Amino acid sequence: MRFEHLGAQPRIHPDAVVSPTAVVSGDVTIGAGCQVLHGAVITAEGGPITLGEYVIVMENALIRASATHPVHIGSHVLVGPTASLSGAVVDDEVFLATGVRVFNGARIGTRSEVRIGAIVHLRTVLPPDSVVPIGWVAVGDPARVLSPDRHEEIWALQKELDFPGYVFGLDRETPDLMIQLTERYGAALARHRDDRRLD
């Protein structure tokens, strides 16, 4: 399903194959040889998404851009089933395995592997040829790759990256943080009410 969002329509190369149950919405460019499988969602919510050539987006993966965090995925990249990528840059020849989470402002270098269930956190930079092991967390710039049992170390690095401030423009110490966050984000998401289905 293709949708016009905020006046922008997806541009899909004629050699690309997009499943009829995938959703492609807004300012999205999909290059030659790409495959977007069933249930995948590629949604440009105010900022562009670009997929290079021969990108495979597997079942139920989510790729999301915002006005402040566009997405660029290079060529020959595999985005595994149920992976989620928001506002990040992925260079060429990267493998993002099943269930991976990549957050806003992250950059994943060429030929890197982010293995099953791993996380590349907010504003984290992985150099070329990096590996994030199964279930591990990459955080910071330069990235530190830590096992999930090292929560205190992860949090010490993650807290400084300021998720609510960087993504939503809100101070973490705001007493009604979740009220402001959900109302602001909800208003932005409500812009989908005016989307127009193109197919």
Side-chain angles (χ1 to χ4, degrees):
M1 295 175 277
R2 294 184 310 125
F3 292 89
E4 180 180 271
H5 177 63
L6 301 177
Q9 296 183 8
R11 293 163 307 284
I12 301 170
H13 192 281
D15 293 342
V17 177
V18 177
S19 163
T21 62
V23 172
V24 181
S25 176
D27 187 4
V28 176
T29 302
I30 298 177
C34 290
Q35 306 289 322
V36 180
L37 302 185
H38 292 287
V41 176
I42 303 174
T43 181
E45 297 177 352
I49 296 174
T50 305
L51 276 60
E53 296 181 348
Y54 298 97
V55 175
I56 298 171
V57 180
M58 297 194 70
E59 295 88 353
N60 300 313
L62 169 64
I63 300 171
R64 178 190 311 272
S66 69
T68 53
H69 300 107
V71 171
H72 175 78
I73 297 177
S75 295
H76 303 282
V77 171
L78 189 142
V79 180
T82 71
S84 174
L85 190 148
S86 182
V89 173
V90 178
D91 290 338
D92 295 343
E93 301 175 47
V94 168
F95 175 60
L96 302 175
T98 300
V100 160
R101 303 291 180 252
V102 180
F103 288 92
N104 300 60
R107 181 169 191 123
I108 300 177
T110 303
R111 296 177 308 279
S112 292
E113 293 183 26
V114 183
R115 295 182 176 160
I116 297 170
I119 295 169
V120 179
H121 218 290
L122 182 80
R123 299 162 65 185
T124 294
V125 178
L126 286 175
D129 302 302
S130 294
V131 174
V132 182
I134 293 172
W136 284 41
V137 179
V139 60
D141 179 10
R144 291 193 52 205
V145 180
L146 302 166
S147 60
D149 62 322
R150 296 169 68 181
H151 178 265
E152 295 306 317
E153 290 175 74
I154 294 167
W155 176 242
L157 295 165
Q158 180 184 346
K159 185 175 182 181
E160 298 304 315
L161 298 175
D162 186 22
F163 187 87
Y166 187 71
V167 175
F168 298 105
L170 295 169
D171 184 339
R172 182 182 297 282
E173 303 306 319
T174 302
D176 62 347
L177 174 63
M178 288 307 297
I179 292 170
Q180 289 192 41
L181 187 153
T182 54
E183 289 180 3
R184 181 181 296 184
Y185 195 38
L189 293 172
R191 297 179 302 179
H192 282 289
R193 81 167 59 95
D194 298 321
D195 289 0
R196 184 170 61 93
R197 187 163 176 178
L198 301 170
D199 56 356

